[in-house]
Every structure is written in structure tokens, then in C-alpha cells.
Amino acid sequence: MAEVPTAAIAATGLVGGYATARWTKKRPLGGVALAAAGAVAARGWQQKAGNATAAALSGAYVAAFAGSHPLAKKIGAWPSVFAVAGGVALASWVAVDRRK
């Protein structure tokens, strides 16, 4: 079975967390989706690239979530979410996934 790239997991967590919160109108449920995907991605980062890389990418994941809020005021909610998800996915791919 093919392994899912950590970049895809992280991006899906950011987009899926927002989508869940928006469509269910339950922000905590979106947070659960965001955290679950972040934990899966962090485990993949740690296993593939070590603790330091996992810590850095986990920090980027949290910063992307936090940064999407002020960015949304400038460019809109969905564009903001897609922008930060793309940034985290790119960082994950560069640091971890392209090594294969």
C-alpha cells in the first residue's frame, strides 16, 4: 500500500479543520480534525526526519493555523486557508517527503 505524503496530511488537516468548523458550525469539532491531522503528520515527520524536523514543522503547522486568521481579513477565509495549507505542504515536502 502506498504511503500518504506528510505534506498531503498536513494540508488536509488545515483545510479539513476549517471546512469542518465552517460547515458544522462547531469550531471545537474543526479543532479536533485539525489536531488529529497535525498529530498524524507530526508522527510521520518524526519517523522520517527526526525530532528537530518534526518540531519545526509542527511549529509551522500551528503558526499557519494562527496566521490564517489575520490573513483571512485581508484576502478572505478560503484563500487564506489554501495559502497557509500550501505553505505548510511545501515546507513538509521540502524537509521530508522529497527525500524518497
Side-chain angles (χ1 to χ4, degrees), residues 4-5 7 27 32-34 36 40 47 49 54 62-63 66 70 72 75-76 79 91:
V4 178
R27 291 179 72 176
V32 169
L34 177 82
V40 171
Q47 289 174 342
V62 171
I75 65 172

Side-chain angles (χ1 to χ4, degrees), residues 1 5-6 9 16-18 30 33 40-41 46 50 66 78 92 96:
M1 184 171 179
T6 60
I9 296 167
Y18 175 69
V40 171
Q46 190 275 328
W78 279 111
S92 180
V96 179

Side-chain angles (χ1 to χ4, degrees), residues 67-88:
S68 70
H69 292 84
L71 183 60
K73 292 180 181 182
K74 295 182 187 276
I75 65 172
W78 279 111
S80 173
V81 170
F82 287 130
V84 300
V88 170

